[in-house]
Amino acid sequence: MKTWEENVRKVVPYVPGEQPKVQNLIKLNTNENPYPPSPKVAEALKAIDVDCMRLYPDPAASVLVKGIADFYQLQEDQVFVGVGSDDVLAMIFMTFFNSKKPILFPDITYSFYDVWADMLRIPYETVPLTDDFTIRKEDYFRENGGIIFPNPNAPTGVELGMQDVEAIIKANPDVIVVVDEAYVDFGAASALPLIEKYDNLLVVQTFSKSRGMAGMRIGYAMGNPVLIKYLNDVKYSFNSYTMDQTTLALGAAAIADRAYFEETVHKVVETREWTKKELTKLGFVFGDSKANFIFASHPEIPAADLFAALREANIIVRYFNKPRIANYLRITIGTQEDMEKLIEFLKKYKK
Amino acid sequence: MKTWEENVRKVVPYVPGEQPKVQNLIKLNTNENPYPPSPKVAEALKAIDVDCMRLYPDPAASVLVKGIADFYQLQEDQVFVGVGSDDVLAMIFMTFFNSKKPILFPDITYSFYDVWADMLRIPYETVPLTDDFTIRKEDYFRENGGIIFPNPNAPTGVELGMQDVEAIIKANPDVIVVVDEAYVDFGAASALPLIEKYDNLLVVQTFSKSRGMAGMRIGYAMGNPVLIKYLNDVKYSFNSYTMDQTTLALGAAAIADRAYFEETVHKVVETREWTKKELTKLGFVFGDSKANFIFASHPEIPAADLFAALREANIIVRYFNKPRIANYLRITIGTQEDMEKLIEFLKKYKK
């Protein structure tokens, strides 16, 4: 080993879901929206003036921040934007999780939380979900350096009721509580109204799921202006200009089209509910997902085998070979047609 | 103060150059290219399929990495890309500057280095430039936790000869040496050939200056595959998907157009040399800038006064109110027409 290697920050990086380049794949593995972005996004793309690209973008990302603030009827100083919600969450970890006490998050959850904690040398403890994969609020009523959980949780899709969410925030006034709402638009209640009441709350959302723009990398946090100011200070100390010109223009166009957003979300939810019924008929078991995926297990079919068989049939889902969930598959909700093909395959596979 | 504020990472953020929205401004303050990106970029923009934006981008940014590797005749595993060179440099600081010994950089240099060091709690020492603003290589022949300097230096524009650059790299085999070449294409020699010889060298460049794409946020580091692997590990632990789909497509189109790149760089260099002559006639003094800016002082005109007068006339340059350089202005090279207007103004102002 070279001497300089002694001072390398060594990490076990997050492994993102596969992005295969195979044609005719039914891609149900990374919770993307099956519907494209709003037609307003295509219009905005056409309107981009390439000659302006020689100039730096607006470091405050104002057009996008204003669009998000307008959508949620917030002030602009209550909104922080970043390069996908992963960037937003990384900035939150850096900014707020600097206690010597461990931060808390569920044992079964978004698999990036422990990666950030490890990379940033933040102590953490994972809190086991109950056997039916729910968060027990009382488990978070103890000393800690900060709390983060997705709602609905990933990869389970299970929603924590708003009373329980509020109880956790209220019980922890001395630390920052982050509610990661990447999937909230597909039917769960948002903690957003609580940011007016609790100054220790950050609500994080993304354009990657319900707004069909994973390819453009837009995430955002909402909270009181003091929290947002601290976040922006760290962001400006890391990279002043994170949001490029096309992202700003296309993101602003997307968030302004509420009707399209509601229509496509509704379609995904309808397909999810149809898929749930069909999976139940086939003997699969799963929680009542409020997300754009279903986390399902089958008493007779090993998940790893099914994962491989689906892959063989050009249907790709997500399999986590981890304790407690090694017999589950996370199946993203695609178009109605995608899901009909999945169910057809499963019917044949079961025979 | 709230209890949670005790664990906030408090920073003094970098202040980016002003991005005013005034019309008819001659904007010579943030070293942007006066020429737009290659026409190939506009073509690539038209070819973007908005429907694909629902999908995550390629986390490996392969099309862009390959474009850069091809341009410099490197292997793809020798190239790392990020959201502007600021993102690349922040990742380098996080990945490689973890020694308890101080990192070294010049006292007069890119003003983000100390911001990153402060934010990441990295010890550092600044090394004074000589009185004529050159880097003295011997000053870097001592124990340290890493070295970074721009070449040409910013905001001075002064180039360090390649023999001295190599001497610094060679004298410091136990730490990572970063040569920040944001401005190298405007006439300085690049340390790039040395990456084959020294495994502790990273060369960082950007699309924001010589490639006229500040608005799209593309930076890159080149070095041996082991360094690039360590960098990517940290990047994947921070944000797996940093480069969005439009950035990848437009960046790849830009780097493929070598002829346009060379033509526009040549025009900037010609205008710079013309501007130098005119400024000299007016009594300004400055080093022999090899960048797309001139760092100039005048024995009779206080820089702060001139800065304000230029601003009043809708010509905006950069003024750093800092020790040793408080009587200098950093003037970006604009179009020939921009610079003629500047010189006209200065002639009248001097009377």
Side-chain angles (χ1 to χ4, degrees):
Chain A
M1 193 164 98
K2 301 275 184 173
T3 307
W4 57 257
E5 288 193 271
E6 287 166 18
N7 291 310
V8 168
R9 185 183 297 259
K10 297 193 188 69
V11 293
V12 181
Y14 174 78
V15 180
E18 207 186 339
Q19 302 293 346
K21 278 145 192 154
V22 184
Q23 292 291 307
N24 301 317
L25 195 74
I26 300 184
K27 189 171 180 305
L28 308 175
N29 70 325
T30 52
N31 296 341
E32 288 139 336
N33 199 312
Y35 303 107
S38 154
K40 302 284 180 195
V41 172
E43 284 174 29
L45 188 79
K46 275 189 198 138
I48 283 173
D49 182 356
V50 173
D51 285 3
C52 288
M53 284 182 190
R54 69 180 190 83
L55 300 172
Y56 280 94
D58 170 19
S62 304
V63 65
L64 181 58
V65 166
K66 186 175 184 313
I68 295 167
D70 287 351
F71 187 90
Y72 293 103
Q73 296 181 281
L74 300 174
Q75 300 300 312
E76 289 175 48
D77 61 4
Q78 294 174 294
V79 177
F80 172 85
V81 295
V83 182
S85 63
D86 286 346
D87 181 44
V88 173
L89 291 166
M91 288 292 151
I92 288 172
F93 273 59
M94 288 192 80
T95 306
F96 298 110
F97 292 166
N98 296 294
S99 170
K100 291 203 169 66
K101 295 174 196 160
I103 62 167
L104 305 180
F105 49 82
D107 64 334
I108 299 168
T109 195
Y110 185 30
S111 42
F112 222 131
Y113 298 156
D114 58 354
V115 173
W116 284 313
D118 283 333
M119 184 201 41
L120 296 166
R121 316 306 189 219
I122 298 167
Y124 66 93
E125 281 174 23
T126 58
V127 182
L129 297 180
T130 62
D131 285 344
D132 65 353
F133 291 161
T134 56
I135 290 173
R136 229 171 52 102
K137 64 176 187 296
E138 295 81 6
D139 295 340
Y140 294 82
F141 296 173
R142 60 180 173 104
E143 268 213 321
N144 63 75
I147 291 170
I148 182 165
F149 57 89
N151 195 32
N153 196 9
T156 63
V158 175
E159 180 183 14
L160 182 66
M162 204 37 59
Q163 285 195 318
D164 288 6
V165 171
E166 183 166 2
I168 291 174
I169 300 161
K170 199 174 178 177
N172 288 281
D174 294 343
V175 300
I176 301 305
V177 178
V178 183
V179 185
D180 179 357
E181 297 188 338
Y183 301 102
V184 77
D185 293 324
F186 299 104
S190 173
L192 185 59
L194 299 178
I195 69 169
E196 305 288 352
K197 197 167 164 187
Y198 298 100
D199 70 359
N200 62 324
L201 169 65
L202 281 168
V203 174
V204 175
Q205 297 191 9
T206 176
F207 280 45
S208 299
K209 317 295 182 185
S210 56
R211 294 176 199 279
M213 286 182 77
M216 288 308 292
R217 320 307 308 119
I218 306 173
Y220 50 108
M222 300 173 288
N224 85 72
V226 178
L227 290 182
I228 300 302
K229 168 74 166 60
Y230 278 127
L231 257 180
N232 267 316
D233 283 354
V234 170
K235 170 235 143 85
Y236 282 116
S237 289
F238 201 91
N239 188 0
S240 310
Y241 302 95
T242 50
M243 310 302 283
D244 65 60
Q245 288 178 0
T246 59
T247 305
L248 292 174
L250 304 191
I255 192 106
D257 192 352
R258 190 184 293 264
Y260 181 85
F261 162 73
E262 287 174 354
E263 178 197 329
T264 47
V265 163
H266 181 71
K267 285 202 284 189
V268 171
V269 169
E270 284 209 315
T271 299
R272 178 188 68 207
E273 296 306 313
W274 177 87
T275 307
K276 281 180 184 173
K277 278 182 202 152
E278 296 298 317
L279 288 176
T280 301
K281 285 184 205 163
L282 292 166
F284 284 89
V285 289
F286 44 85
D288 183 25
S289 171
K290 293 292 172 64
N292 69 336
F293 56 82
I294 296 170
F295 195 57
S297 184
H298 196 286
E300 291 142 36
I301 308 170
D305 294 357
L306 182 53
F307 173 75
L310 284 163
R311 188 77 185 77
E312 195 67 25
N314 270 349
I315 301 175
I316 180 166
V317 300
R318 192 88 192 256
Y319 174 62
F320 301 90
N321 194 1
K322 288 185 178 181
R324 296 186 72 187
I325 58 172
N327 205 32
Y328 283 80
L329 295 180
R330 192 191 70 186
I331 305 164
T332 303
I333 303 301
T335 60
Q336 183 65 28
E337 196 190 348
D338 289 340
M339 303 320 278
E340 285 170 7
K341 283 182 185 157
L342 170 78
I343 297 296
E344 275 318 299
F345 174 88
L346 293 175
K347 280 179 181 166
K348 282 183 197 146
Y349 184 81
K350 266 205 69 189
K351 275 177 193 164
Chain B
M1 191 165 97
K2 302 274 184 174
T3 307
W4 57 256
E5 288 192 272
E6 288 166 17
N7 292 311
V8 168
R9 185 185 297 260
K10 297 192 188 70
V11 292
V12 182
Y14 175 78
V15 181
E18 207 186 338
Q19 301 293 346
K21 278 145 193 155
V22 184
Q23 292 291 308
N24 301 317
L25 195 75
I26 300 183
K27 189 171 181 305
L28 308 176
N29 70 325
T30 51
N31 297 342
E32 287 140 337
N33 199 313
Y35 303 107
S38 155
K40 301 285 180 195
V41 172
E43 282 173 32
L45 189 79
K46 275 189 197 138
I48 282 174
D49 181 356
V50 173
D51 285 3
C52 288
M53 284 183 190
R54 69 179 190 83
L55 300 171
Y56 280 93
D58 170 18
S62 305
V63 64
L64 181 58
V65 166
K66 185 175 185 314
I68 295 167
D70 287 351
F71 186 89
Y72 294 103
Q73 297 180 280
L74 300 174
Q75 300 300 312
E76 289 174 48
D77 61 4
Q78 293 175 294
V79 177
F80 172 86
V81 295
V83 182
S85 63
D86 286 348
D87 181 43
V88 173
L89 291 167
M91 288 292 150
I92 288 172
F93 273 59
M94 289 192 79
T95 306
F96 298 110
F97 292 167
N98 296 294
S99 169
K100 291 203 168 68
K101 297 173 195 160
I103 63 167
L104 306 180
F105 48 82
D107 64 336
I108 300 168
T109 196
Y110 184 32
S111 42
F112 222 131
Y113 299 157
D114 58 354
V115 172
W116 283 313
D118 283 333
M119 185 202 39
L120 296 167
R121 316 308 188 219
I122 298 166
Y124 66 93
E125 281 174 25
T126 59
V127 182
L129 297 180
T130 62
D131 285 343
D132 65 353
F133 292 161
T134 55
I135 290 173
R136 229 171 52 100
K137 64 176 187 296
E138 295 80 7
D139 294 340
Y140 294 82
F141 296 173
R142 60 182 173 103
E143 266 214 321
N144 64 74
I147 291 172
I148 182 165
F149 57 89
N151 196 32
N153 197 6
T156 63
V158 175
E159 181 185 12
L160 182 66
M162 203 37 59
Q163 284 194 319
D164 288 6
V165 170
E166 182 165 1
I168 292 174
I169 300 161
K170 198 174 177 176
N172 289 280
D174 294 343
V175 300
I176 302 304
V177 178
V178 183
V179 185
D180 178 358
E181 297 187 338
Y183 302 103
V184 77
D185 293 324
F186 299 105
S190 172
L192 185 59
L194 300 178
I195 68 169
E196 305 288 354
K197 196 167 164 188
Y198 299 99
D199 69 0
N200 63 323
L201 169 64
L202 281 168
V203 174
V204 175
Q205 298 193 8
T206 175
F207 280 45
S208 298
K209 317 295 181 185
S210 55
R211 295 176 199 278
M213 287 183 76
M216 288 309 294
R217 322 305 310 119
I218 305 172
Y220 51 107
M222 299 172 287
N224 85 71
V226 178
L227 290 181
I228 299 304
K229 169 73 166 61
Y230 279 128
L231 257 180
N232 268 317
D233 283 353
V234 169
K235 169 236 145 86
Y236 282 116
S237 290
F238 201 90
N239 188 0
S240 312
Y241 301 96
T242 50
M243 310 303 284
D244 65 59
Q245 288 177 359
T246 59
T247 305
L248 291 175
L250 273 42
I255 192 106
D257 192 352
R258 189 184 292 264
Y260 181 86
F261 162 73
E262 286 174 354
E263 178 198 328
T264 48
V265 163
H266 182 70
K267 285 202 285 189
V268 171
V269 170
E270 283 208 317
T271 298
R272 179 188 69 207
E273 296 306 313
W274 177 87
T275 307
K276 281 180 184 172
K277 279 181 200 151
E278 296 298 317
L279 287 176
T280 301
K281 286 184 206 164
L282 291 165
F284 284 89
V285 289
F286 44 85
D288 182 26
S289 171
K290 293 292 172 63
N292 68 338
F293 56 81
I294 297 169
F295 195 56
S297 183
H298 196 286
E300 291 142 37
I301 309 170
D305 295 355
L306 182 54
F307 173 74
L310 284 163
R311 189 76 185 75
E312 195 67 24
N314 269 350
I315 301 174
I316 181 167
V317 299
R318 192 88 193 256
Y319 175 62
F320 302 91
N321 194 1
K322 288 187 177 178
R324 299 186 70 188
I325 58 170
N327 204 34
Y328 283 80
L329 294 180
R330 191 192 69 185
I331 305 164
T332 302
I333 303 302
T335 60
Q336 183 65 27
E337 195 190 348
D338 289 339
M339 303 320 277
E340 285 170 8
K341 284 181 184 156
L342 170 78
I343 297 295
E344 276 318 300
F345 174 88
L346 293 175
K347 281 178 181 169
K348 282 182 196 147
Y349 184 81
K350 266 206 69 189
K351 275 178 191 162

